[in-house]
């Protein structure tokens, strides 16, 4: 992907707009699973808006995003 965005937790809906813009430009979006988010309102809003490519568990987070950075190097 041209870029990637990751939401761990948050409030409101600003991440929805950010993920929409990112995906419109060929980016990859991911968020931490609701069961692990300290505050899950933003995570839930993104899921409801269907702007999430991947839902990630903490154990696999580093393994998933590390190759994305290496591909850009």
């Amino acid at each position: 992907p041209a870029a990637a965005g990751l939401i761990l937790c948050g409030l409101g809906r600003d991440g929805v707009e950010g993920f929409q813009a990112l995906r419109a430009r060929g980016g990859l979006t991911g968020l931490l699973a609701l069961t692990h988010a300290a505050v899950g309102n933003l995570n839930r809003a993104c899921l409801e808006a269907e702007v999430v490519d991947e839902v990630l568990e903490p154990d696999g987070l580093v393994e998933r995003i590390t190759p994305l950075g290496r591909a850009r190097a």
Side-chain angles (χ1 to χ4, degrees):
L6 175 65
I7 293 176
L8 300 177
C9 66
L11 298 171
R13 297 187 50 85
D14 56 333
V16 173
E17 290 82 19
F19 271 14
Q20 287 170 333
L22 187 59
R23 290 178 86 199
R25 291 166 181 81
L28 177 71
T29 61
L31 59 81
L32 185 63
L34 288 173
T35 54
H36 300 286
V39 179
N41 297 353
L42 179 54
N43 300 50
R44 186 172 288 106
C46 289
L47 288 169
E48 290 171 356
E50 299 181 0
V51 295
V52 178
D53 295 311
E54 297 185 34
V55 176
L56 303 165
E57 296 291 327
D59 292 344
L61 190 65
V62 172
E63 291 81 8
R64 178 62 184 111
I65 63 173
T66 299
L68 296 174
R70 287 188 181 136
R72 305 273 308 160

